[in-house]
């Protein structure tokens, strides 16, 4: 038994596994969001499509989600806040941070997602991705400045070539 990818502290088999397998349904918006993160981790793209509201399903087919996600290795999920989305609610909001690596570079996705219950089933309705400021550890090198590699050439003629 392995720990669940969603960070709940439970095993995958008792947490997100049954949701992704279709043997149970998410009781809360947060549970659905966590299972969707786990679905990215295990490549369950059909589950991601099936748990997306029909009004926006055209925007993200399983194949499109696969193309977007398969280059990433999802590493951690942190739920930052929830608003409603409980077992008695019909709408909910979950703000989260998802850490991943893309081509070996660590990155973070921060999103506020909206969920709605349709016919007793939670669905992803919409998401707002929060932009992040990228901070450089080194000062930016100008195109016409000497290349920091020490070659004596201008940066644009050396390491700055595209």
């Amino acid at each position: 038994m392995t720990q669940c990818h969603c960070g709940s502290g439970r095993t995958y088999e008792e947490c997100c596994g049954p949701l992704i397998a279709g043997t149970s349904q998410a009781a809360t918006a947060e549970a659905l969001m966590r299972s969707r993160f786990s679905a990215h981790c295990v490549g369950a793209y059909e589950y991601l499509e099936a748990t997306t509201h029909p009004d926006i399903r055209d925007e993200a087919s399983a194949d499109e989600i696969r193309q977007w996600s398969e280059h990433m290795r999802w590493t951690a999920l942190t739920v930052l806040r929830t608003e409603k989305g409980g077992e008695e609610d019909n709408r909910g909001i979950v703000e989260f941070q998802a850490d991943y690596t893309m081509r070996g570079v660590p990155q973070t996705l921060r999103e506020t997602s909206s969920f709605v219950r349709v016919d007793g089933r939670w669905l992803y309705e919409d998401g707002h991705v929060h932009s992040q400021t990228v901070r450089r550890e080194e000062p930016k090198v100008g195109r016409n400045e000497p290349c920091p590699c020490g070659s004596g050439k201008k940066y644009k003629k050396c390491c700055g070539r595209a």
Side-chain angles (χ1 to χ4, degrees):
M1 292 192 163
T2 59
Q3 285 290 102
C4 193
H5 306 281
C6 78
S8 67
R10 298 184 307 174
T11 66
Y12 177 77
E13 293 77 11
E14 65 185 7
C15 188
C16 293
L19 302 177
I20 293 169
T23 58
S24 67
Q25 290 189 13
T28 65
E30 181 180 339
L32 178 64
M33 193 280 310
R34 287 181 176 279
S35 69
R36 288 174 58 87
F37 176 84
S38 289
H40 277 288
C41 294
V42 300
Y45 305 112
E46 290 77 15
Y47 176 77
L48 291 164
E49 181 179 23
T51 57
T52 300
H53 194 281
D55 289 350
I56 64 165
R57 212 170 273 163
D58 295 357
E59 298 171 19
S61 70
D63 286 336
E64 291 167 323
I65 297 168
R66 176 180 291 109
Q67 290 172 8
W68 176 77
S69 185
E70 68 185 0
H71 300 291
M72 302 171 186
R73 188 174 65 79
W74 299 92
T75 56
L77 175 70
T78 305
V79 174
L80 302 172
R81 78 177 174 94
T82 60
E83 184 178 312
K84 297 191 178 185
E87 294 183 29
E88 303 300 318
D89 297 315
N90 288 319
R91 295 193 152 280
I93 294 174
V94 180
E95 185 175 346
F96 66 91
Q97 175 178 307
D99 297 324
Y100 63 96
T101 58
M102 185 174 213
R103 295 183 181 94
V105 178
Q107 303 199 34
T108 299
L109 167 70
R110 185 167 167 219
E111 181 176 315
T112 301
S113 297
S114 300
F115 297 87
V116 63
R117 192 189 310 254
V118 177
D119 297 327
R121 190 168 164 239
W122 283 105
L123 298 172
Y124 170 79
E125 185 177 43
D126 193 12
H128 169 73
V129 175
H130 300 268
S131 63
Q132 296 177 327
T133 303
V134 176
R135 301 202 192 295
R136 300 175 194 276
E137 294 194 18
E138 301 287 327
K140 182 176 179 183
V141 179
R143 291 175 28 86
N144 290 315
E145 292 179 25
C147 190
C149 77
S151 68
K153 296 179 182 178
K154 288 184 178 181
Y155 178 70
K156 68 182 178 185
K157 296 285 186 177
C158 190
C159 295
R161 281 190 151 156

